[in-house]
Amino acid sequence: MADTVIRKRRSGGRSGNTRRHAVSVIEQMPWHIPQNNDRPTEPLDDAGVAAIHDGAMRILEEVGIEFLNDEALAILREAGCTIDGHNVRMGRDFVMEMVAKAPSSFTITPRNPDREVVIGGKSMVFVNVSSPPNYWDLETGKVPGTREQCQNLLKLTQYFNCIHVAGGYPVEPVDVHASVRHLDVLFDKLTLTDKVCHAYSLGKERVEDVMEMVRIAGGLSEEEFEAKPHMYTNINSTSPLKHDIPMLDGWMRCTRRGQAVIVTPFTLAGAMAPVTMAGAVAQSLAEGLCAIALAQYIRPGTPCAFGTFTSNVDMKSGAPAFGTPEYMRATQMSGQMARFYGLPLRASGSCAANVPDGQAMWETSNALWSAVQSGTNLVYHAAGWLEGGLIASPEKFIMDCEVLQHIQRYFDPALTATTPDDIALDAIKSVGAEGHFFGCDHTQERYTTAFYQPFLSDWRNYEGWALDGGVWTAERAHRMFKEIIGSFEPPPMDEAIREELEAFVAKRKEQGGAPTDF
Amino acid sequence: MADTVIRKRRSGGRSGNTRRHAVSVIEQMPWHIPQNNDRPTEPLDDAGVAAIHDGAMRILEEVGIEFLNDEALAILREAGCTIDGHNVRMGRDFVMEMVAKAPSSFTITPRNPDREVVIGGKSMVFVNVSSPPNYWDLETGKVPGTREQCQNLLKLTQYFNCIHVAGGYPVEPVDVHASVRHLDVLFDKLTLTDKVCHAYSLGKERVEDVMEMVRIAGGLSEEEFEAKPHMYTNINSTSPLKHDIPMLDGWMRCTRRGQAVIVTPFTLAGAMAPVTMAGAVAQSLAEGLCAIALAQYIRPGTPCAFGTFTSNVDMKSGAPAFGTPEYMRATQMSGQMARFYGLPLRASGSCAANVPDGQAMWETSNALWSAVQSGTNLVYHAAGWLEGGLIASPEKFIMDCEVLQHIQRYFDPALTATTPDDIALDAIKSVGAEGHFFGCDHTQERYTTAFYQPFLSDWRNYEGWALDGGVWTAERAHRMFKEIIGSFEPPPMDEAIREELEAFVAKRKEQGGAPTDF
């Protein structure tokens, strides 16, 4: 009993950060990994799945993928693949044998073990916006990203319980030199958040530095770090049909050290992939599965996920489009294929809109609901993305979190329970045809938790809303952003660990950080 | 052959209105009734369906429904129901026997037969916003509705091919006296649109006048009018557990004359229905099924649909909320129950937002996608609704039409086709790892139709968008609204029919229209 209390207190000390805020800016839902028990929407029949699989396999067997990394080429040659220059062809038997070694589900454990996430199965994990070079808010307009903006977006990442993973840089801080950018942002990320982190596969120094910093932040020995995933990398192929040197390097480094690896081909139909969605998905799978085969050959059982980023271009301008009907169907088809291969699926929340307005939300809603419908396990860019990923916006971040909370609540089995208490015949009898349900016991016992309570949606009538200034959603989100940043408290971190991190960053900066071309 | 050409020409003359516009304001998708081939999202298992069914039946058997209309009471007494004052109890055998007589699918044919709609099966039909007492646009703000605004919204209803039905008054023209309002609005509706119309069940004169005007507009004899549905009514129960006099009167009048009838209980969980969603759905079904049983007893085979309007209140304020997670699940559960009873389902596009901003679009997207997921056949308020139905807005109308076009395109089987042409292995081979797909034959042959083309979404990059004024979505929609109204051409109507309609309206106005209390 006493032990239980103590463990609870310790747990509270690490994860119960929100409890220490006597007055929080908003009432939000608790940390929870949504469990998607809906049957996925599956536009393909068995023959359709077989056709796309066959297409992906024939791409790997007959066309091949360029592996620009010599180390990867050597490993794949040893594995029996057909190598011609950088071109690698691999038979479907080999691919399927390797892919079968990948777990269908795995965990990633950050420095706060209460923020561990499950990638796979029914779990649906949400990641902040990652990698936009620009920042937009209602005051600044579009400007190049800075470290301060990046920190603010990391604070939102930590603040919102519905965001489970601190993915890539929520905005690229271009005011920090590229040689040391990873050191500063990871330091910020590891001190401002206690959620799962990510390493960009942009050269061995960056990947190794991030792994080392995650190890230090977790207070882990080398052995403890490598014993299970504590972070992950995500690589993109250079579509069509190519994997570049640093991406493969980071992929193999993370694999060797037991960390999770995600491969996400950016297959824009009509540009880097066929104009037909099934073709774009088949190509995407070929590009992804060959990387997963490499990882499984290096270290069988490596936790891998397949990422879909298949969308279409605007055929008038060539500009990428997101959250389109084609995007939704490609995501659903990718979900079917991921289940066929037994792999967790990554997808995205995305839009082409330039500002957080109506278009931004219908495109993002389309993207997020297709993630639900496809059984997606990891949703990148789930909050904060604009302009096809070229802009990160705090208003959009907060607006998206309202939608993410909808999804979290939508999965609550209480909403569709059908026990006698839920059917409520006695309440219906007691209220009859003349009363109302506001005051009845059945309502009184349940009303505080019966319904989703929004933090940003304004449900007042027009007059009440207008009297209070008539503030549109983006402006409300902007004000909330200021309040959250103004009252933000970072999660606790052991002082010795913080000093060790600082020392590591200082040392690596002295050494020049990572090499750059400039 | 000659006959074919002539028929095509006639068809073009009636329906091919858009063809006559050499330059149209926007490029929109053609008229088409979307076919929803997705497997519905079904949160209930068989036991859950049985539990809600049993709940609905026990409400009808043990609690009963108030039928305030004496004629309906007499009919139900004759049918063997247990009558106690206005309270009607009916056994499940009777209910199920009657409901089984309702067709699972039916058509409604307006004056332009090319605009016939199918209600049921896989069809998904979209209806304009109906019945808000207020109007809002970016220039006017919130104001009481007028006939001119109503006409403008009817013009949008006609203009957009993705709107299939001109439902209720798109805004209530409160500048027209209630005694003659139905005459003026129906005249406007029947001359400005050629789509399916609706009669409010607000007194026998209004229902009969509308039926007569629809008959005249269609150039139909009495017999032709009654031979199949040419219009419909939608009634709401007075939840909890009550059907009022005029609603039942209109219900029975339309039933007797072979027109379609839809019953939509407005069961707000926590207010007019149990706080638990399964209870609210069960009550909603009880209220709906007893009306359908009445219609089937009067005229077996009457085309009926069950409408769900189960949402929840904000438990802080009691205000209705829409597009919530609870709303989505209630809609999906209602879809399962409608299929259980073999009835077409009506649902809605809805939101609580006061202006067409981000919140408006995430709430509406939630509502519309839950309509898709539930297999809804008829989507009321699919375009133009704000403030929980208290405001109609042209900007919101146009923004919603973009989402409706998404849904129409989403259902296109071409998006998920997996023929060898779709897998595109030859194109992938020919482009290889160094090229791109913009120029290849496979793309060139398909690019004009490969992807959804938006009419309102702005897919330009930020700089292009900013240079052009940086216009947010609602403002773009406002400008488009002005252009559409400015260039609107009504659909053709035979001059003799128009005169007959005018004469009917004049005669009925002379007679005082419909009685009112004021």
Side-chain angles (χ1 to χ4, degrees):
Chain A
M1 186 68 188
D3 185 54
T4 308
V5 172
I6 289 165
R7 277 203 286 120
K8 272 194 181 163
R9 277 198 191 133
R10 283 185 54 202
S11 162
R14 294 189 102 151
S15 72
N17 192 34
T18 51
R19 254 181 283 168
R20 290 205 312 279
H21 295 275
V23 180
S24 53
V25 177
I26 62 164
E27 282 181 47
Q28 60 175 317
M29 294 174 79
W31 167 275
H32 173 71
I33 307 284
Q35 298 299 302
N36 181 354
N37 286 305
D38 279 3
R39 193 165 53 182
T41 301
E42 303 200 316
L44 300 175
D45 58 14
D46 289 347
V49 170
I52 291 180
H53 168 61
D54 186 62
M57 294 301 116
R58 288 187 63 190
I59 293 168
L60 292 172
E61 289 172 336
E62 300 172 26
V63 188
I65 308 288
E66 305 287 304
F67 279 71
L68 302 188
N69 183 295
D70 289 338
E71 188 184 359
L73 283 174
I75 293 167
L76 291 170
R77 180 177 288 113
E78 178 199 288
C81 299
T82 306
I83 315 291
D84 180 9
H86 290 115
N87 181 274
V88 178
R89 284 180 290 137
M90 46 182 79
R92 65 184 70 199
D93 290 351
F94 170 74
V95 176
M96 293 303 279
E97 183 193 340
M98 290 300 115
V99 169
K101 295 180 193 291
S104 61
S105 180
F106 55 87
T107 59
I108 312 179
T109 313
R111 70 178 177 92
N112 178 355
D114 292 338
R115 296 288 167 265
E116 179 175 282
V117 297
V118 178
I119 310 295
K122 301 290 187 188
S123 292
M124 191 167 191
V125 168
F126 298 124
V127 190
N128 62 353
V129 60
S130 301
S131 312
N134 304 295
Y135 174 91
W136 181 99
D137 77 25
L138 272 169
E139 288 176 61
T140 63
K142 182 179 178 179
V143 291
T146 68
R147 184 172 179 185
E148 185 188 353
Q149 293 158 357
C150 183
Q151 288 168 334
N152 285 345
L153 291 164
L154 286 171
K155 290 173 183 174
L156 294 184
T157 299
Q158 176 67 11
Y159 181 81
F160 280 98
N161 294 327
C162 61
I163 301 294
H164 306 103
V165 169
Y169 310 161
V171 70
E172 192 84 29
V174 293
D175 59 342
V176 180
H177 193 270
S179 60
V180 297
R181 192 178 295 162
H182 66 290
L183 298 167
D184 283 342
V185 178
L186 260 290
F187 181 81
D188 291 344
K189 196 188 282 192
L190 287 166
T191 53
L192 293 174
T193 89
D194 60 2
K195 297 178 180 179
V196 165
C197 293
H198 149 279
Y200 286 104
S201 285
L202 294 171
K204 66 179 178 183
E205 293 82 4
R206 291 190 181 84
V207 176
E208 296 290 353
D209 284 347
V210 170
M211 285 197 280
E212 185 62 9
M213 291 176 75
V214 169
R215 188 193 66 73
I216 293 169
L220 304 169
S221 67
E222 280 296 330
E223 293 66 35
E224 287 169 334
F225 177 75
E226 296 192 3
K228 63 178 182 177
H230 295 279
M231 44 74 70
Y232 71 101
T233 192
N234 177 87
I235 70 165
N236 305 110
S237 43
T238 309
S239 302
L241 307 180
K242 201 182 293 177
H243 285 291
D244 74 13
I245 299 171
M247 290 279 179
L248 286 170
D249 178 79
W251 180 262
M252 293 186 290
R253 287 178 188 277
C254 286
T255 294
R256 290 205 177 91
R257 295 191 66 187
Q259 304 308 300
V261 290
I262 305 171
V263 55
T264 309
F266 185 28
T267 35
L268 271 184
M272 299 93 100
V275 74
T276 43
M277 301 318 287
V281 170
Q283 181 187 312
S284 168
L285 286 165
E287 293 176 8
L289 293 174
C290 64
I292 291 172
L294 171 64
Q296 297 304 325
Y297 185 80
I298 293 172
R299 182 168 166 147
T302 292
C304 291
F306 170 72
T308 172
F309 220 94
T310 297
S311 191
N312 60 286
V313 294
D314 177 0
M315 291 311 292
K316 285 183 177 170
S317 66
F322 295 96
T324 63
E326 292 79 13
Y327 176 100
M328 297 182 76
R329 289 302 196 188
T331 305
Q332 294 169 354
M333 289 193 283
S334 296
Q336 289 191 259
M337 300 311 300
R339 287 187 291 283
F340 176 81
Y341 296 113
L343 294 168
L345 180 70
R346 176 213 137 160
S348 300
S350 54
C351 65
N354 293 308
V355 282
D357 62 357
Q359 177 188 337
M361 295 321 297
W362 74 58
E363 291 178 335
T364 302
S365 289
N366 283 359
L368 290 173
W369 284 112
S370 73
V372 170
Q373 296 157 350
S374 60
T376 292
N377 302 110
L378 186 71
V379 184
Y380 246 67
H381 313 300
W385 147 307
L386 285 174
E387 203 202 356
L390 294 176
I391 289 176
S393 155
E395 294 93 346
K396 178 69 165 27
F397 196 111
I398 292 170
M399 292 163 70
D400 288 340
C401 283
E402 183 83 276
V403 180
L404 299 182
Q405 284 208 159
H406 285 179
I407 294 173
Q408 183 171 333
R409 170 70 179 168
Y410 168 87
F411 288 135
D412 188 337
L415 271 60
T416 53
T418 55
T419 68
D421 268 0
D422 295 297
I423 303 292
L425 191 65
D426 291 342
I428 292 168
K429 276 184 185 170
S430 75
V431 171
E434 302 304 326
H436 59 73
F437 289 79
F438 280 119
C440 76
D441 288 347
H442 185 263
T443 302
Q444 288 299 312
E445 288 157 13
R446 292 167 180 80
Y447 81 98
T448 55
T449 57
F451 305 134
Y452 175 71
Q453 189 62 46
F455 64 85
L456 182 62
S457 291
D458 194 323
W459 285 353
R460 291 176 295 183
N461 65 13
Y462 187 91
E463 286 67 30
W465 169 83
L467 209 65
D468 199 23
V471 184
W472 289 44
T473 303
E475 174 70 28
R476 294 201 301 275
H478 184 76
R479 295 177 187 183
M480 195 172 283
F481 163 58
K482 297 287 176 152
E483 286 186 60
I484 292 171
I485 298 304
S487 64
F488 180 80
E489 289 182 35
M493 175 178 264
D494 190 283
E495 193 50 41
I497 285 180
R498 188 185 174 89
E499 285 167 10
E500 193 179 346
L501 273 179
E502 284 169 343
F504 178 83
V505 169
K507 181 190 76 181
R508 290 289 296 118
K509 282 188 175 181
E510 265 180 31
Q511 295 170 344
T516 60
D517 295 337
F518 46 95
Chain B
M1 185 66 188
D3 187 54
T4 309
V5 171
I6 288 166
R7 277 201 286 118
K8 271 194 180 163
R9 277 198 191 136
R10 283 185 55 203
S11 162
R14 296 188 101 154
S15 72
N17 193 33
T18 50
R19 253 180 284 168
R20 290 205 311 280
H21 295 276
V23 180
S24 52
V25 177
I26 62 166
E27 281 180 48
Q28 59 175 318
M29 294 174 78
W31 167 275
H32 173 72
I33 307 285
Q35 298 298 303
N36 180 354
N37 286 305
D38 280 3
R39 194 166 52 182
T41 301
E42 303 201 317
L44 302 174
D45 58 14
D46 289 347
V49 170
I52 291 180
H53 168 61
D54 186 61
M57 294 300 116
R58 288 187 63 190
I59 293 167
L60 292 172
E61 289 172 336
E62 300 172 25
V63 188
I65 308 288
E66 304 288 302
F67 279 72
L68 302 189
N69 184 295
D70 288 337
E71 188 185 358
L73 283 173
I75 293 167
L76 291 170
R77 181 176 288 116
E78 179 200 287
C81 299
T82 305
I83 316 292
D84 180 7
H86 291 116
N87 182 274
V88 178
R89 285 179 290 139
M90 47 182 79
R92 66 184 71 198
D93 290 351
F94 171 73
V95 175
M96 294 303 279
E97 183 193 340
M98 290 299 115
V99 169
K101 295 181 194 291
S104 61
S105 179
F106 55 87
T107 59
I108 311 179
T109 313
R111 70 177 178 93
N112 178 356
D114 291 338
R115 296 290 167 263
E116 179 175 282
V117 297
V118 178
I119 310 295
K122 301 290 187 188
S123 292
M124 190 168 192
V125 168
F126 299 124
V127 190
N128 62 351
V129 61
S130 301
S131 313
N134 303 294
Y135 174 92
W136 181 98
D137 77 25
L138 273 169
E139 288 176 60
T140 63
K142 183 180 177 179
V143 290
T146 67
R147 184 171 178 186
E148 184 188 352
Q149 292 157 359
C150 183
Q151 288 169 333
N152 284 345
L153 290 164
L154 286 172
K155 289 174 184 175
L156 294 184
T157 299
Q158 176 67 12
Y159 181 82
F160 280 98
N161 294 327
C162 61
I163 301 294
H164 306 104
V165 170
Y169 310 160
V171 70
E172 192 84 27
V174 293
D175 59 342
V176 180
H177 193 270
S179 60
V180 297
R181 192 178 294 162
H182 66 290
L183 298 168
D184 283 343
V185 178
L186 259 291
F187 181 81
D188 291 345
K189 196 188 282 190
L190 287 166
T191 52
L192 293 174
T193 89
D194 59 3
K195 298 179 180 178
V196 165
C197 293
H198 149 279
Y200 286 104
S201 284
L202 295 171
K204 65 179 179 182
E205 293 81 4
R206 292 189 180 84
V207 175
E208 296 291 352
D209 284 348
V210 171
M211 284 197 279
E212 185 61 9
M213 291 176 75
V214 169
R215 187 193 66 73
I216 292 169
L220 304 169
S221 67
E222 280 296 328
E223 294 65 36
E224 287 168 333
F225 178 74
E226 296 193 3
K228 64 178 182 175
H230 295 279
M231 43 75 70
Y232 72 101
T233 192
N234 178 86
I235 70 165
N236 306 111
S237 43
T238 309
S239 303
L241 307 180
K242 201 182 294 176
H243 284 289
D244 74 12
I245 300 171
M247 290 280 180
L248 285 170
D249 177 79
W251 181 262
M252 294 187 290
R253 286 179 188 278
C254 287
T255 294
R256 290 205 176 92
R257 295 190 67 186
Q259 304 308 301
V261 290
I262 305 172
V263 55
T264 309
F266 185 28
T267 36
L268 270 184
M272 298 92 99
V275 74
T276 42
M277 300 318 286
V281 170
Q283 182 187 311
S284 168
L285 286 165
E287 294 176 9
L289 293 174
C290 64
I292 291 173
L294 171 64
Q296 297 303 326
Y297 186 79
I298 292 172
R299 181 170 167 145
T302 291
C304 291
F306 171 72
T308 172
F309 221 95
T310 298
S311 190
N312 60 287
V313 295
D314 177 1
M315 290 311 290
K316 285 184 177 169
S317 66
F322 296 96
T324 63
E326 293 80 11
Y327 176 100
M328 296 182 77
R329 288 302 196 188
T331 305
Q332 293 168 355
M333 290 193 284
S334 296
Q336 289 192 258
M337 300 311 299
R339 286 187 291 282
F340 176 79
Y341 295 114
L343 294 168
L345 179 70
R346 177 214 136 159
S348 299
S350 55
C351 65
N354 293 308
V355 281
D357 62 356
Q359 177 188 335
M361 295 321 296
W362 72 58
E363 290 178 335
T364 302
S365 289
N366 284 359
L368 290 174
W369 284 111
S370 73
V372 170
Q373 295 157 351
S374 61
T376 293
N377 304 109
L378 186 71
V379 184
Y380 247 66
H381 313 300
W385 146 309
L386 285 174
E387 202 201 359
L390 295 176
I391 289 176
S393 154
E395 294 92 346
K396 178 69 165 29
F397 196 112
I398 291 171
M399 291 163 70
D400 289 339
C401 283
E402 182 84 274
V403 180
L404 299 182
Q405 284 208 160
H406 286 179
I407 294 173
Q408 183 173 332
R409 171 69 178 169
Y410 168 87
F411 287 136
D412 188 337
L415 272 61
T416 53
T418 55
T419 68
D421 268 359
D422 295 297
I423 303 293
L425 191 66
D426 291 341
I428 291 168
K429 276 183 185 169
S430 75
V431 171
E434 302 303 326
H436 60 73
F437 288 78
F438 280 117
C440 77
D441 289 346
H442 184 264
T443 302
Q444 289 299 312
E445 287 158 12
R446 290 166 181 81
Y447 82 98
T448 55
T449 56
F451 306 134
Y452 175 70
Q453 189 63 44
F455 64 85
L456 182 62
S457 292
D458 194 323
W459 285 354
R460 289 175 295 182
N461 66 13
Y462 187 92
E463 287 67 29
W465 168 84
L467 210 64
D468 199 22
V471 184
W472 289 43
T473 303
E475 174 70 27
R476 293 202 301 274
H478 184 76
R479 296 178 187 183
M480 195 172 282
F481 163 56
K482 296 286 177 159
E483 285 185 61
I484 291 171
I485 298 305
S487 64
F488 180 80
E489 287 182 35
M493 175 179 264
D494 190 284
E495 193 51 40
I497 286 180
R498 188 185 174 90
E499 285 167 11
E500 193 178 346
L501 273 179
E502 284 170 342
F504 178 82
V505 169
K507 181 188 73 178
R508 290 289 297 120
K509 283 188 175 180
E510 263 181 31
Q511 295 169 344
T516 61
D517 296 337
F518 44 97

